[in-house]
Amino acid sequence: MQQQIAVVTLGISDLERSKAFYRNGFGWTPVFETPEIAFYQMNGFVFGTWLKSSLERDTKQEGLSGPAPMSLAHNVREERDVQPAIDRLLAAGGTLLRAADSPPYGGLRGYVADPDKHIWEIAFNPLWPIDKNGHVAFKQS
């Protein structure tokens, strides 16, 4: 099986609120949307936000609760880009979970939750360069 992810979909409670967060915080525009879902074309995969009730119907799972213990990451090209990105996400309705600081491996990172409590790490990692297409690669040290 090919090592890839085609789509990441988050269950959300309010589509308009979610679209406002991703539009105003990250600057993303949906490439497709219905009254239940919004899809965003990313660099190599599709990101979706889907009403939780619709996700429950599609998976035949009732009562899906809160986000799973995981985080998504948005890496930036320069260390100086971390705090402005966090600030935009907070202004767009996000919640600060951890102020930007330096992790043991170097760089800078902080954590923000979207309006549905999905965790986003905003990071600059000097060991993970971003190419001109926005792809992050793991660089062996």
Side-chain angles (χ1 to χ4, degrees):
M1 186 178 298
Q2 184 179 13
Q3 190 166 309
Q4 59 99 347
I5 295 175
V7 181
V8 171
T9 304
L10 303 179
I12 48 119
S13 61
D14 183 317
L15 186 62
E16 292 305 314
R17 180 183 71 181
S18 178
K19 286 190 313 187
F21 174 79
Y22 288 99
R23 178 183 56 246
N24 299 331
F26 284 110
W28 299 345
T29 302
V31 293
F32 177 83
E33 57 187 290
T34 72
E36 298 178 333
I37 197 164
F39 286 119
Y40 303 83
Q41 181 63 60
M42 308 306 278
N43 52 347
F45 73 99
V46 174
F47 174 74
T49 55
W50 198 5
L51 288 177
K52 187 179 102 169
S53 58
S54 299
L55 181 61
E56 288 174 335
R57 271 194 308 278
D58 198 56
T59 60
K60 295 185 178 185
Q61 300 296 308
E62 292 184 25
L64 294 175
S65 64
M70 62 166 283
S71 69
L72 299 163
H74 176 79
N75 282 35
V76 295
R77 293 186 198 287
E78 303 289 335
E79 187 170 322
R80 69 176 179 259
D81 297 332
V82 171
Q83 191 59 53
I86 289 173
D87 292 342
R88 282 192 310 276
L89 294 171
L90 297 178
T95 302
L96 184 65
L97 301 177
R98 180 181 186 148
D101 62 2
S102 297
Y105 53 80
L108 189 67
R109 57 84 162 89
Y111 286 91
V112 174
D114 78 1
D116 290 281
K117 299 185 174 132
H118 298 105
I119 299 170
W120 282 92
E121 177 188 28
I122 308 304
F124 166 73
N125 185 329
L127 300 177
W128 294 13
I130 301 173
D131 70 16
K132 65 180 179 169
N133 296 317
H135 294 100
V136 176
F138 190 88
K139 184 172 94 174
Q140 298 288 351
S141 54

